[in-house]
Amino acid sequence: MRLTSTYRLLAQSTSKRLHKPNSRTAIAIASNATTRNFSTDNTQKHKPTTFATQCATLYHPSIKANRGLAPPIYFGSTYTLDDADHGARLHDKKEAAFTDEDGFVYSRWGSPTNEACARQIAALEGVQSTGGTMLFGSGMSGITSALMSVLKAGDHAVFPYTVYGGTHEFLKEFAVHWGVEIDFIDGAGAQGPEAYRSAFRENTKVVYCETPANPTCRITDLKGVGRVVDEFYGTRQSNPNRPWVMVDGTFSTPYHQRSLNIPGVDVSIQSCTKYLGGHSDILAGSVSTNSPEFCHGLAKVQKLITAPLNPMDSYLLMRGIRTLDVRMERHGKNALKVAQMLEEHPLVDKTFYPGLESHPDNTGGKDCLVANAFRSGRDYEEDASTMPQTYGGMIAFIVKGEGDVALERAKRVCEGLRVVNLAVSLGSVESLVEHPASMTHAMIPREDRLAGGLDDGLIRISVGIERASDLVEDLKLSLDRVMENEAEQSAA
């Protein structure tokens, strides 16, 4: 009895020190009220008086703090709940791209800063209320999550030869070993849709496009691909089991191409590391869709296998997107000037840039794939009179020569640049150059690489927003030096 009384007195003393009730809670206790003490209500939360508890307690700013012009960065991994029922509701919800009025429960399932950025990209992509956008830790994480959400053993998928090297590696190193059947086709140009159609099977579950292609800048007729899928399998409404048409639009961004506005297209993928981020300081990827079914599957993969983009990079991505419109215009203007110089240089065999008349998909007329693929940030037809037509910042060109001669020559051109940076990636404010055969596409077998138009001497340039004349001069000097050195070696 004495021991029990001692513990009771100690407990009462500790409770009084830790939970000094204000007048509101005192009245509630005295009246035996049933109102619960919500943990998110600062007016009813206890104020600790001991040093250790003060250290461990989370302090929050006033409610008015949420009126800052820039959205805050939420680093929290977990979130306070109103009550047990609130937690039960959150855990019982079906996975989706965005939260509802119940808010967040755990950052592996989504966080405020991540969702704010995702909603901004959803607006750019033209996502409807039925769909959503989800952000991942890299473009590859977004691509693999999208594929894993719909593919299983025994399924079939169709990809272009020029698919990004990382996507190709995932298919060859993982997907085929999981029992997924893969076909590669030449999906570029006017004949692309029929090339896709020829690969369709009864078990086809993914039809994958990448346009403009990396790095050849060839254009896929997305309207045509959507049409042949609808003709072969039926529309999504009439046949929910039809293949998912996915588009990697990293080269174009929503500034030029809103894939989800094209009938038959289900999923739009962006490597946000590139143009949307725009500053070579984050890794990020986005996947957008208007399908709630696809959103659920994608969210399930993100929750259990991959992970959402972290809050800091989500914030930096939001900041980069704010200047996307003006950056894309400058990228396009600069790239056209660089491409025009390359097309005239004697060491260059071919130049691939959609803005050049020589581009194989720039055929002119209403059915011109280039014209339909680059809307240049225009929202209305009348915008054409005030907003310049541009064609993106990506250029590919092939130096003259065959086999190893072309390969070594291309490497020397890249290594001789001084303003343009020799580095992988693209879409940043600074210009970047790379040699796909020895860098980004080195993991692709040579025969597959050549079948996709990736010659040994092909060089890819991501044109930045520097002074255009500086970029033109830098590239011209490097090309000239290679020619001069070769001439000197021949003379010796």
Side-chain angles (χ1 to χ4, degrees):
M1 286 292 295
R2 183 176 302 170
L3 189 61
T4 302
S5 299
T6 301
Y7 280 135
R8 183 181 296 114
L9 290 173
L10 179 60
Q12 291 174 349
S13 175
T14 302
S15 178
K16 287 179 180 179
R17 286 190 290 109
L18 288 177
H19 303 281
K20 292 184 177 179
N22 57 30
S23 58
R24 184 180 302 178
T25 55
I27 294 172
I29 293 172
S31 61
N32 198 26
T34 59
T35 302
R36 293 180 181 177
N37 222 355
F38 288 172
S39 61
T40 53
D41 186 350
N42 287 330
T43 63
Q44 297 193 24
K45 195 169 184 178
H46 78 267
K47 295 180 180 180
T49 59
T50 64
F51 183 78
T53 305
Q54 286 172 336
C55 288
T57 298
L58 296 174
Y59 292 82
H60 296 274
S62 67
I63 296 176
K64 294 294 184 181
N66 64 9
R67 297 177 64 178
L69 185 61
I73 306 174
Y74 293 87
F75 284 113
S77 60
T78 189
Y79 302 84
T80 54
L81 305 172
D82 293 340
D83 50 32
D85 291 341
H86 183 201
R89 287 197 309 273
L90 286 167
H91 283 81
D92 192 47
K93 290 181 186 293
K94 185 177 181 179
E95 291 86 356
F98 302 139
T99 57
D100 57 19
E101 64 276 4
D102 271 331
F104 301 89
V105 61
Y106 190 59
S107 286
R108 181 161 53 84
W109 304 356
S111 66
T113 312
N114 178 288
E115 182 168 311
C117 183
R119 288 184 180 275
Q120 186 173 19
I121 294 176
L124 300 181
E125 293 274 24
V127 172
Q128 301 170 4
S129 59
T130 55
T133 294
M134 301 196 70
L135 303 184
F136 297 83
S138 69
M140 273 309 305
S141 180
I143 291 168
T144 55
S145 295
L147 294 174
M148 286 190 292
S149 70
V150 296
L151 289 174
K152 64 181 185 305
D155 288 343
H156 171 250
V158 186
F159 289 79
Y161 283 119
T162 51
V163 71
Y164 172 59
T167 307
H168 186 280
E169 187 175 4
F170 169 75
L171 299 174
K172 290 294 188 179
E173 297 294 331
F174 293 94
V176 295
H177 297 295
W178 296 340
V180 178
E181 301 168 3
I182 307 293
D183 275 329
F184 292 97
I185 52 96
D186 182 0
Q191 303 306 314
E194 291 306 317
Y196 274 101
R197 188 201 296 267
S198 67
F200 292 165
R201 303 182 195 172
E202 184 178 345
N203 61 333
T204 301
K205 290 296 184 290
V206 169
V207 174
Y208 195 95
C209 306
E210 188 173 319
T211 182
N214 178 9
T216 61
C217 301
R218 291 297 306 274
I219 308 299
T220 301
D221 180 3
L222 294 181
K223 291 182 180 179
V225 173
R227 173 178 49 79
V228 298
V229 172
D230 285 347
E231 291 173 354
F232 196 93
Y233 297 99
T235 64
R236 177 70 56 196
Q237 290 73 23
S238 64
N239 178 16
N241 295 319
R242 76 193 284 273
W244 296 95
V245 179
M246 302 183 182
V247 177
D248 182 341
T250 297
F251 270 29
S252 59
T253 80
Y255 175 84
H256 284 302
Q257 176 179 276
R258 284 187 171 182
S259 300
L260 296 182
N261 287 351
I262 299 173
V265 174
D266 301 294
V267 180
S268 176
I269 299 171
Q270 305 284 340
S271 175
C272 303
T273 306
K274 315 306 194 292
Y275 283 110
L276 271 69
H279 294 80
S280 297
D281 55 5
I282 62 168
L283 295 176
S286 69
V287 180
S288 302
T289 181
N290 286 318
S291 166
E293 176 191 357
F294 186 87
C295 271
H296 172 60
L298 183 68
K300 181 74 78 172
V301 171
Q302 185 184 74
K303 171 183 170 183
L304 299 177
I305 303 176
T306 56
L309 183 64
N310 68 74
M312 188 69 211
D313 285 349
S314 297
Y315 177 83
L316 290 173
L317 178 54
M318 277 192 289
R319 190 172 67 171
I321 290 173
R322 291 177 192 166
T323 59
L324 177 66
D325 183 78
V326 293
R327 284 189 287 110
M328 289 302 294
E329 181 178 327
R330 182 67 170 266
H331 284 301
K333 288 181 176 180
N334 282 359
L336 181 59
K337 295 177 181 178
V338 171
Q340 290 170 338
M341 181 278 294
L342 291 171
E343 192 169 43
E344 298 298 324
H345 198 279
L347 191 63
V348 176
D349 184 40
K350 295 178 182 178
T351 303
F352 298 98
Y353 182 65
L356 296 176
E357 293 182 2
S358 59
H359 190 279
D361 301 318
N362 194 356
T363 57
K366 65 177 182 178
D367 295 326
C368 175
L369 295 181
V370 168
N372 293 327
F374 293 91
R375 69 185 190 96
S376 302
R378 299 168 179 171
D379 297 298
Y380 311 101
E381 290 185 5
E382 53 267 29
D383 289 342
S385 61
T386 58
M387 300 174 67
Q389 174 67 57
T390 57
Y391 302 93
M394 300 305 301
I395 302 173
F397 67 96
I398 302 174
V399 297
K400 292 180 178 179
E402 299 293 335
D404 289 342
V405 172
L407 190 142
E408 292 301 321
R409 183 176 282 169
K411 288 167 67 175
R412 290 198 300 272
V413 170
C414 293
E415 292 164 357
L417 296 169
R418 297 295 178 264
V419 177
V420 181
N421 303 276
L422 178 59
V424 297
S425 198
L426 58 99
S428 188
V429 293
E430 69 278 348
S431 294
L432 305 174
V433 68
E434 68 113 350
H435 180 223
S438 63
M439 296 170 65
T440 54
H441 292 68
M443 72 287 293
I444 299 178
R446 186 173 185 270
E447 57 272 18
D448 291 347
R449 176 167 55 77
L450 294 177
L454 303 180
D455 289 48
D456 296 310
L458 186 142
I459 295 173
R460 188 190 76 181
I461 307 174
S462 172
V463 179
I465 63 172
E466 302 95 339
R467 188 182 182 95
S469 58
D470 290 343
L471 300 175
V472 170
E473 180 182 13
D474 189 37
L475 282 156
K476 186 176 184 305
L477 286 175
S478 183
L479 288 163
D480 289 345
R481 278 193 295 266
V482 170
M483 292 181 62
E484 292 169 1
N485 291 339
E486 290 180 356
E488 291 174 358
Q489 292 174 3
S490 296

